[in-house]
Amino acid sequence: MITGNYIKYCFGSQSCHVDAVHATSPQSDRFTDEIVAGIITKTGCAGIIGTVSRTVADLNRPPGQGNEEAVWEYRDVIGQFLYNTGLLKPGSRNLARPYLHIGIHGMKDQPHGPLSIEVGTIHGKTCSVRVKKWFGETLKAKVRDYSPDIKVIFDKHWVGNQSLASHRWGEGRRYPGYGKNYNAFQVEIARTLREYHRQEMIDIFTAVVADFTLMFSRR
């Protein structure tokens, strides 16, 4: 991996990247770095792991006092990923076809229980209707392959931060975004699943990335 000032990252061969922006203590989402590293290894997709604590500079927020430099480093690397895949034409900011961004986060075993995953899209603002439908159906199907007891919830408690939508729709002139083909999902995984079922989580999201490649990336 390449080490920056606030993140470490690697390029990939898929129209997708995964990240764990809250991987560093204190107040880390424990085990999210291991899950992301596992997905990267199994899929060959690009990935980012935060190396700064959210208490110092939160990468999952718009740039502001305290996190400005860190957020722009993070956003710049995402831009490099998109150019590396060939999805952006020279001089263009609009993606030529769908791109998938899976942000792996950690939540407590409450409020949904120890075997739960909540997906935040800010009620559809971070992705297209089509890709949201596909993501939900695919994730639930992959989860059922492992255990019918794992619950998948959308946009109920952890709906995602507005900064996630900025990659799609922009944030003023300074960060215009990449358009309707950028699809981002904030995935909150319960502590029990992260601690005791890490390999299952890696396998599930590896299968999701592979399915996305078959469904969208070759069109």
Side-chain angles (χ1 to χ4, degrees), residues 49-77:
I49 294 174
T51 58
V52 62
S53 170
R54 75 178 93 195
T55 63
V56 176
D58 195 337
L59 298 170
N60 194 43
R61 294 291 185 274
Q65 186 175 4
N67 73 342
E68 180 98 9
E69 185 177 329
V71 170
W72 285 111
E73 179 179 81
Y74 172 64
R75 290 180 173 182
D76 179 66
V77 168

mmCIF file of all heavy atoms in Angstrom, residues 49-77:
data_model
loop_
_atom_site.group_PDB
_atom_site.id
_atom_site.type_symbol
_atom_site.label_atom_id
_atom_site.label_comp_id
_atom_site.label_asym_id
_atom_site.label_seq_id
_atom_site.Cartn_x
_atom_site.Cartn_y
_atom_site.Cartn_z
ATOM 1 N N ILE A 49 -7.521 2.911 3.649
ATOM 2 C CA ILE A 49 -7.648 2.694 5.082
ATOM 3 C C ILE A 49 -7.153 3.954 5.785
ATOM 4 O O ILE A 49 -6.035 4.426 5.532
ATOM 5 C CB ILE A 49 -6.840 1.471 5.544
ATOM 6 C CG1 ILE A 49 -7.433 0.187 4.928
ATOM 7 C CG2 ILE A 49 -6.831 1.362 7.068
ATOM 8 C CD1 ILE A 49 -6.629 -1.067 5.197
ATOM 9 N N GLY A 50 -7.984 4.521 6.647
ATOM 10 C CA GLY A 50 -7.606 5.725 7.358
ATOM 11 C C GLY A 50 -6.515 5.459 8.382
ATOM 12 O O GLY A 50 -6.565 4.460 9.105
ATOM 13 N N THR A 51 -5.542 6.345 8.444
ATOM 14 C CA THR A 51 -4.449 6.211 9.413
ATOM 15 C C THR A 51 -4.468 7.348 10.428
ATOM 16 O O THR A 51 -3.529 7.508 11.199
ATOM 17 C CB THR A 51 -3.091 6.179 8.697
ATOM 18 O OG1 THR A 51 -2.928 7.372 7.916
ATOM 19 C CG2 THR A 51 -2.970 4.959 7.796
ATOM 20 N N VAL A 52 -5.551 8.123 10.445
ATOM 21 C CA VAL A 52 -5.722 9.200 11.412
ATOM 22 C C VAL A 52 -7.030 8.963 12.150
ATOM 23 O O VAL A 52 -8.027 8.526 11.554
ATOM 24 C CB VAL A 52 -5.729 10.582 10.715
ATOM 25 C CG1 VAL A 52 -6.895 10.711 9.742
ATOM 26 C CG2 VAL A 52 -5.784 11.715 11.738
ATOM 27 N N SER A 53 -7.047 9.204 13.442
ATOM 28 C CA SER A 53 -8.261 9.018 14.223
ATOM 29 C C SER A 53 -9.303 10.073 13.860
ATOM 30 O O SER A 53 -8.969 11.216 13.540
ATOM 31 C CB SER A 53 -7.944 9.118 15.719
ATOM 32 O OG SER A 53 -9.134 9.173 16.483
ATOM 33 N N ARG A 54 -10.554 9.672 13.943
ATOM 34 C CA ARG A 54 -11.639 10.635 13.704
ATOM 35 C C ARG A 54 -11.621 11.770 14.738
ATOM 36 O O ARG A 54 -12.178 12.836 14.500
ATOM 37 C CB ARG A 54 -12.992 9.924 13.723
ATOM 38 C CG ARG A 54 -13.475 9.535 15.089
ATOM 39 C CD ARG A 54 -14.845 8.878 15.021
ATOM 40 N NE ARG A 54 -14.728 7.436 14.924
ATOM 41 C CZ ARG A 54 -15.715 6.631 14.565
ATOM 42 N NH1 ARG A 54 -16.877 7.125 14.224
ATOM 43 N NH2 ARG A 54 -15.546 5.335 14.530
ATOM 44 N N THR A 55 -10.992 11.522 15.890
ATOM 45 C CA THR A 55 -10.889 12.567 16.915
ATOM 46 C C THR A 55 -9.909 13.660 16.504
ATOM 47 O O THR A 55 -9.925 14.750 17.064
ATOM 48 C CB THR A 55 -10.446 11.976 18.262
ATOM 49 O OG1 THR A 55 -9.133 11.407 18.129
ATOM 50 C CG2 THR A 55 -11.409 10.891 18.728
ATOM 51 N N VAL A 56 -9.064 13.365 15.527
ATOM 52 C CA VAL A 56 -8.091 14.337 15.020
ATOM 53 C C VAL A 56 -8.589 14.958 13.720
ATOM 54 O O VAL A 56 -8.594 16.187 13.554
ATOM 55 C CB VAL A 56 -6.716 13.680 14.814
ATOM 56 C CG1 VAL A 56 -5.721 14.667 14.199
ATOM 57 C CG2 VAL A 56 -6.182 13.118 16.119
ATOM 58 N N ALA A 57 -8.994 14.108 12.766
ATOM 59 C CA ALA A 57 -9.494 14.581 11.476
ATOM 60 C C ALA A 57 -10.436 13.520 10.920
ATOM 61 O O ALA A 57 -9.987 12.442 10.525
ATOM 62 C CB ALA A 57 -8.339 14.835 10.508
ATOM 63 N N ASP A 58 -11.722 13.828 10.909
ATOM 64 C CA ASP A 58 -12.724 12.856 10.455
ATOM 65 C C ASP A 58 -12.844 12.902 8.939
ATOM 66 O O ASP A 58 -13.254 13.906 8.361
ATOM 67 C CB ASP A 58 -14.076 13.153 11.108
ATOM 68 C CG ASP A 58 -15.062 11.999 10.975
ATOM 69 O OD1 ASP A 58 -14.899 11.175 10.055
ATOM 70 O OD2 ASP A 58 -15.985 11.911 11.812
ATOM 71 N N LEU A 59 -12.491 11.790 8.290
ATOM 72 C CA LEU A 59 -12.547 11.708 6.832
ATOM 73 C C LEU A 59 -13.971 11.534 6.315
ATOM 74 O O LEU A 59 -14.222 11.718 5.124
ATOM 75 C CB LEU A 59 -11.692 10.532 6.343
ATOM 76 C CG LEU A 59 -10.201 10.619 6.658
ATOM 77 C CD1 LEU A 59 -9.514 9.294 6.354
ATOM 78 C CD2 LEU A 59 -9.549 11.742 5.871
ATOM 79 N N ASN A 60 -14.886 11.184 7.185
ATOM 80 C CA ASN A 60 -16.276 10.952 6.793
ATOM 81 C C ASN A 60 -17.142 12.182 7.072
ATOM 82 O O ASN A 60 -18.291 12.075 7.480
ATOM 83 C CB ASN A 60 -16.840 9.741 7.543
ATOM 84 C CG ASN A 60 -18.148 9.245 6.945
ATOM 85 O OD1 ASN A 60 -18.293 9.161 5.728
ATOM 86 N ND2 ASN A 60 -19.111 8.905 7.794
ATOM 87 N N ARG A 61 -16.557 13.343 6.839
ATOM 88 C CA ARG A 61 -17.258 14.613 7.017
ATOM 89 C C ARG A 61 -16.811 15.566 5.910
ATOM 90 O O ARG A 61 -15.743 15.389 5.317
ATOM 91 C CB ARG A 61 -16.918 15.249 8.371
ATOM 92 C CG ARG A 61 -17.429 14.462 9.577
ATOM 93 C CD ARG A 61 -18.946 14.510 9.675
ATOM 94 N NE ARG A 61 -19.435 13.855 10.893
ATOM 95 C CZ ARG A 61 -19.686 12.551 10.994
ATOM 96 N NH1 ARG A 61 -19.469 11.750 9.961
ATOM 97 N NH2 ARG A 61 -20.156 12.048 12.123
ATOM 98 N N PRO A 62 -17.587 16.597 5.600
ATOM 99 C CA PRO A 62 -17.121 17.613 4.654
ATOM 100 C C PRO A 62 -15.875 18.296 5.215
ATOM 101 O O PRO A 62 -15.668 18.321 6.438
ATOM 102 C CB PRO A 62 -18.293 18.594 4.574
ATOM 103 C CG PRO A 62 -19.484 17.814 5.041
ATOM 104 C CD PRO A 62 -18.956 16.853 6.070
ATOM 105 N N PRO A 63 -15.029 18.866 4.357
ATOM 106 C CA PRO A 63 -13.832 19.545 4.850
ATOM 107 C C PRO A 63 -14.196 20.775 5.678
ATOM 108 O O PRO A 63 -15.123 21.511 5.357
ATOM 109 C CB PRO A 63 -13.089 19.931 3.569
ATOM 110 C CG PRO A 63 -14.143 19.972 2.515
ATOM 111 C CD PRO A 63 -15.143 18.933 2.890
ATOM 112 N N GLY A 64 -13.466 20.963 6.759
ATOM 113 C CA GLY A 64 -13.704 22.106 7.628
ATOM 114 C C GLY A 64 -12.536 22.262 8.573
ATOM 115 O O GLY A 64 -11.469 21.660 8.381
ATOM 116 N N GLN A 65 -12.722 23.028 9.590
ATOM 117 C CA GLN A 65 -11.653 23.266 10.551
ATOM 118 C C GLN A 65 -11.243 21.954 11.219
ATOM 119 O O GLN A 65 -12.060 21.244 11.776
ATOM 120 C CB GLN A 65 -12.109 24.263 11.616
ATOM 121 C CG GLN A 65 -11.005 24.672 12.579
ATOM 122 C CD GLN A 65 -11.464 25.751 13.553
ATOM 123 O OE1 GLN A 65 -12.627 26.137 13.557
ATOM 124 N NE2 GLN A 65 -10.546 26.231 14.372
ATOM 125 N N GLY A 66 -9.980 21.618 11.088
ATOM 126 C CA GLY A 66 -9.445 20.417 11.717
ATOM 127 C C GLY A 66 -9.264 19.229 10.792
ATOM 128 O O GLY A 66 -8.401 18.383 11.036
ATOM 129 N N ASN A 67 -10.073 19.147 9.722
ATOM 130 C CA ASN A 67 -9.944 17.977 8.842
ATOM 131 C C ASN A 67 -9.733 18.336 7.374
ATOM 132 O O ASN A 67 -9.751 17.467 6.509
ATOM 133 C CB ASN A 67 -11.171 17.080 8.966
ATOM 134 C CG ASN A 67 -12.412 17.668 8.291
ATOM 135 O OD1 ASN A 67 -12.475 18.862 8.010
ATOM 136 N ND2 ASN A 67 -13.410 16.835 8.056
ATOM 137 N N GLU A 68 -9.563 19.614 7.087
ATOM 138 C CA GLU A 68 -9.461 20.093 5.698
ATOM 139 C C GLU A 68 -8.409 19.337 4.889
ATOM 140 O O GLU A 68 -8.699 18.767 3.827
ATOM 141 C CB GLU A 68 -9.150 21.589 5.703
ATOM 142 C CG GLU A 68 -9.021 22.203 4.316
ATOM 143 C CD GLU A 68 -10.297 22.907 3.869
ATOM 144 O OE1 GLU A 68 -11.207 23.073 4.684
ATOM 145 O OE2 GLU A 68 -10.356 23.272 2.695
ATOM 146 N N GLU A 69 -7.180 19.313 5.385
ATOM 147 C CA GLU A 69 -6.084 18.683 4.644
ATOM 148 C C GLU A 69 -6.328 17.187 4.479
ATOM 149 O O GLU A 69 -6.082 16.620 3.406
ATOM 150 C CB GLU A 69 -4.759 18.930 5.370
ATOM 151 C CG GLU A 69 -3.549 18.413 4.612
ATOM 152 C CD GLU A 69 -2.244 18.746 5.315
ATOM 153 O OE1 GLU A 69 -2.176 19.797 5.985
ATOM 154 O OE2 GLU A 69 -1.297 17.951 5.203
ATOM 155 N N ALA A 70 -6.822 16.545 5.510
ATOM 156 C CA ALA A 70 -7.058 15.102 5.466
ATOM 157 C C ALA A 70 -8.140 14.736 4.457
ATOM 158 O O ALA A 70 -7.990 13.793 3.671
ATOM 159 C CB ALA A 70 -7.447 14.596 6.852
ATOM 160 N N VAL A 71 -9.252 15.476 4.458
ATOM 161 C CA VAL A 71 -10.352 15.181 3.540
ATOM 162 C C VAL A 71 -9.934 15.381 2.098
ATOM 163 O O VAL A 71 -10.273 14.573 1.213
ATOM 164 C CB VAL A 71 -11.595 16.030 3.883
ATOM 165 C CG1 VAL A 71 -12.652 15.916 2.786
ATOM 166 C CG2 VAL A 71 -12.180 15.595 5.212
ATOM 167 N N TRP A 72 -9.148 16.421 1.827
ATOM 168 C CA TRP A 72 -8.735 16.637 0.443
ATOM 169 C C TRP A 72 -7.734 15.591 -0.020
ATOM 170 O O TRP A 72 -7.719 15.228 -1.203
ATOM 171 C CB TRP A 72 -8.196 18.061 0.265
ATOM 172 C CG TRP A 72 -9.324 19.055 0.240
ATOM 173 C CD1 TRP A 72 -9.620 19.991 1.175
ATOM 174 C CD2 TRP A 72 -10.333 19.163 -0.765
ATOM 175 N NE1 TRP A 72 -10.753 20.686 0.827
ATOM 176 C CE2 TRP A 72 -11.212 20.204 -0.358
ATOM 177 C CE3 TRP A 72 -10.585 18.499 -1.960
ATOM 178 C CZ2 TRP A 72 -12.324 20.579 -1.111
ATOM 179 C CZ3 TRP A 72 -11.697 18.873 -2.706
ATOM 180 C CH2 TRP A 72 -12.545 19.899 -2.290
ATOM 181 N N GLU A 73 -6.914 15.079 0.875
ATOM 182 C CA GLU A 73 -6.048 13.967 0.494
ATOM 183 C C GLU A 73 -6.904 12.747 0.136
ATOM 184 O O GLU A 73 -6.660 12.082 -0.880
ATOM 185 C CB GLU A 73 -5.092 13.612 1.624
ATOM 186 C CG GLU A 73 -4.173 12.434 1.288
ATOM 187 C CD GLU A 73 -3.206 12.100 2.419
ATOM 188 O OE1 GLU A 73 -3.640 11.407 3.365
ATOM 189 O OE2 GLU A 73 -2.045 12.536 2.351
ATOM 190 N N TYR A 74 -7.897 12.467 0.940
ATOM 191 C CA TYR A 74 -8.810 11.349 0.707
ATOM 192 C C TYR A 74 -9.543 11.509 -0.631
ATOM 193 O O TYR A 74 -9.602 10.576 -1.453
ATOM 194 C CB TYR A 74 -9.796 11.290 1.873
ATOM 195 C CG TYR A 74 -10.947 10.336 1.744
ATOM 196 C CD1 TYR A 74 -10.747 8.964 1.660
ATOM 197 C CD2 TYR A 74 -12.264 10.806 1.751
ATOM 198 C CE1 TYR A 74 -11.821 8.083 1.575
ATOM 199 C CE2 TYR A 74 -13.337 9.936 1.677
ATOM 200 C CZ TYR A 74 -13.111 8.582 1.585
ATOM 201 O OH TYR A 74 -14.185 7.713 1.497
ATOM 202 N N ARG A 75 -10.081 12.688 -0.872
ATOM 203 C CA ARG A 75 -10.812 12.927 -2.125
ATOM 204 C C ARG A 75 -9.896 12.859 -3.343
ATOM 205 O O ARG A 75 -10.301 12.367 -4.408
ATOM 206 C CB ARG A 75 -11.510 14.285 -2.060
ATOM 207 C CG ARG A 75 -12.673 14.318 -1.093
ATOM 208 C CD ARG A 75 -13.333 15.692 -1.051
ATOM 209 N NE ARG A 75 -14.542 15.675 -0.238
ATOM 210 C CZ ARG A 75 -15.331 16.727 -0.059
ATOM 211 N NH1 ARG A 75 -15.013 17.894 -0.643
ATOM 212 N NH2 ARG A 75 -16.415 16.632 0.689
ATOM 213 N N ASP A 76 -8.689 13.345 -3.196
ATOM 214 C CA ASP A 76 -7.744 13.295 -4.309
ATOM 215 C C ASP A 76 -7.428 11.851 -4.692
ATOM 216 O O ASP A 76 -7.340 11.532 -5.886
ATOM 217 C CB ASP A 76 -6.452 14.031 -3.937
ATOM 218 C CG ASP A 76 -5.426 13.982 -5.061
ATOM 219 O OD1 ASP A 76 -5.697 14.572 -6.133
ATOM 220 O OD2 ASP A 76 -4.364 13.351 -4.881
ATOM 221 N N VAL A 77 -7.276 10.993 -3.710
ATOM 222 C CA VAL A 77 -6.990 9.583 -3.999
ATOM 223 C C VAL A 77 -8.175 8.922 -4.695
ATOM 224 O O VAL A 77 -7.999 8.132 -5.635
ATOM 225 C CB VAL A 77 -6.597 8.836 -2.714
ATOM 226 C CG1 VAL A 77 -6.590 7.325 -2.934
ATOM 227 C CG2 VAL A 77 -5.225 9.297 -2.240
#
